[in-house]
Amino acid sequence: MLPDQLKHCLNTFYDSGLPITVLTGAGVSAESGIPTFRGKEGYWQIGSTNYQPQEIGTFHMFRRQPEEVWKWYLFRRTVCHQSSPNAGHMAIVELEKIFGDRFTLITQNVDGLHLRAGNSLERSYLVHGTLEYVRCSKGCTRELFPFPDGIGDKSRETDLTEEEKRILTCPYCGDWTRPHILWFDEYYDEDYYRFESSMKQALETGLLITIGTSGATTLPVRVVEVVLSREVPLIDINIAPNVFGRSAEKSGNGFFLQGSSGTILPEIVQHISLRISDHPGT
Ligand code: APR
């Protein structure tokens, strides 16, 4: 059940005609069975050593152990492919349908579930990249290649075959390709990761909904800072108290909704849909 103040905020926002921005993190996909980054299943083992994503998801590690880094991503990609969008993803698709070109999704998730659920690539900024594309690890071209055919599902234990290693090379220079993912020791840019577009969105949006993110990476933190400095309402949805939820509550016109995205987002969509049917034409 949504609080009355939140319902009022959503009504006022809907009538305003202003843009809406939805910013998602790994928590949105948790109910699809994809482990979050900072949760307990995020690790990767090489030999007898456990690595956290912050160590394995780096260009530094890729340079030293390209095969191990690929194995980690191929395993993660397999988990993603075996998962399906959940009620939270579907509610975000409904928001795009309701708001049309007022809607923008900024997602840190590389799992492809938002697009598989039905959000459009046009209105989605994949600010940490996607597992669905690869590119030359040497940067001999800036071109993105769709993930190549011929690579099977991988468990944590499966090694790459010689054929798979060949498939994972750049068609131009023959060096390794790499996942099109923003690694922990790399920087955002506009061309690959829509950094400036996201900041522009923060400057223009009339409502920001952050969902299932621990607020540990730069771009979401910057977006939230800009939105709060403009006194625009922030709604944070998370199963656990977190930095964005606290900021929302402190701001005076924001909300922290503690609970799962798959439960709370459909309630928000239902409320907005009811508002539209009660006030057609507004
Ligand atoms: N509904 C809502 N929130 C949830 C749910 C759920 N069902 N399950 C988990 N959460 C919340 C957790 O409480 C946590 O705050 O989702 C958040 C997940 O946090 P992280 O694992 O840190 O994921 P994220 O914020 O997306 O990480 C950001 O860091 O690891 C890098 O590039 C990677 O995109 C990732 C980025």
Side-chain angles (χ1 to χ4, degrees):
M1 183 68 183
L2 303 178
D4 285 344
Q5 271 179 314
L6 173 62
K7 290 181 182 170
H8 178 71
C9 169
L10 290 170
N11 295 347
T12 311
F13 168 73
Y14 180 77
D15 297 345
S16 73
L18 289 168
I20 175 171
T21 306
V22 173
L23 193 165
T24 63
V28 172
S29 296
E31 287 161 271
S32 295
I34 299 177
T36 57
F37 279 87
R38 291 168 183 81
K40 57 181 183 323
E41 287 176 80
Y43 72 93
W44 182 254
Q45 200 169 26
I46 303 178
S48 57
T49 312
N50 276 338
Y51 291 91
Q52 293 305 312
Q54 292 89 324
E55 300 167 286
I56 190 111
T58 60
F59 190 60
H60 178 72
M61 181 66 99
F62 186 80
R63 245 194 327 234
R64 289 189 300 149
Q65 309 236 37
E67 224 174 300
E68 281 299 328
V69 174
W70 257 125
K71 276 169 63 181
W72 185 57
Y73 279 105
L74 292 176
F75 164 65
R76 283 194 72 90
R77 188 166 182 272
T78 301
V79 172
C80 298
H81 277 183
Q82 290 168 350
S83 308
S84 306
N86 63 56
H89 293 107
M90 300 319 294
I92 297 169
V93 174
E94 288 307 309
L95 289 177
E96 178 168 351
K97 284 190 192 150
I98 291 170
F99 287 100
D101 59 11
R102 288 172 66 186
F103 174 91
T104 299
L105 171 65
I106 300 177
T107 184
Q108 301 167 84
N109 299 344
V110 299
D111 55 36
L113 288 183
H114 284 303
L115 299 184
R116 272 172 59 198
N119 282 115
S120 69
L121 183 58
E122 190 198 350
R123 308 218 64 82
S124 304
Y125 299 164
L126 311 179
V127 295
H128 290 172
T130 166
L131 286 166
E132 296 312 314
Y133 282 84
V134 303
R135 61 186 212 244
C136 176
S137 66
K138 283 278 158 63
C140 83
T141 168
R142 289 199 46 89
E143 203 177 321
L144 298 181
F145 309 113
F147 193 89
D149 291 333
I151 308 231
D153 282 358
K154 299 281 174 205
S155 70
R156 278 184 184 270
E157 287 76 34
T158 352
D159 285 326
L160 295 181
T161 64
E162 287 309 311
E163 174 62 2
E164 286 171 338
K165 287 187 219 170
R166 191 195 60 73
I167 291 173
L168 289 172
T169 56
C170 170
Y172 295 126
C173 71
D175 213 303
W176 284 98
T177 54
R178 54 167 282 174
H180 175 52
I181 304 274
L182 179 69
W183 280 332
F184 286 93
D185 53 355
E186 297 181 318
Y187 297 100
Y188 291 105
D189 68 8
E190 173 60 17
D191 200 17
Y192 281 151
Y193 303 114
R194 310 299 301 270
F195 182 79
E196 273 90 28
S197 299
S198 300
M199 296 317 296
K200 183 166 181 284
Q201 195 59 31
L203 284 167
E204 292 172 0
T205 197
L207 175 68
L208 174 65
I209 309 181
T210 52
I211 312 160
T213 176
S214 59
T217 54
T218 320
L219 185 147
V221 169
R222 293 274 298 275
V223 166
V224 168
E225 273 170 9
V226 170
V227 162
L228 291 176
S229 73
R230 296 179 47 235
E231 299 181 8
V232 162
L234 165 66
I235 300 172
D236 181 62
I237 301 170
N238 198 306
I239 52 167
N242 72 92
V243 62
F244 291 161
R246 280 189 288 278
S247 302
E249 285 183 325
K250 261 200 341 216
S251 69
N253 63 349
F255 301 87
F256 170 50
L257 306 177
Q258 185 162 5
S260 78
S261 48
T263 307
I264 295 176
L265 278 168
E267 288 181 35
I268 290 181
V269 169
Q270 192 192 18
H271 175 77
I272 297 171
S273 305
L274 274 176
R275 169 78 182 174
I276 296 169
S277 54
D278 287 351
H279 298 80
T282 49

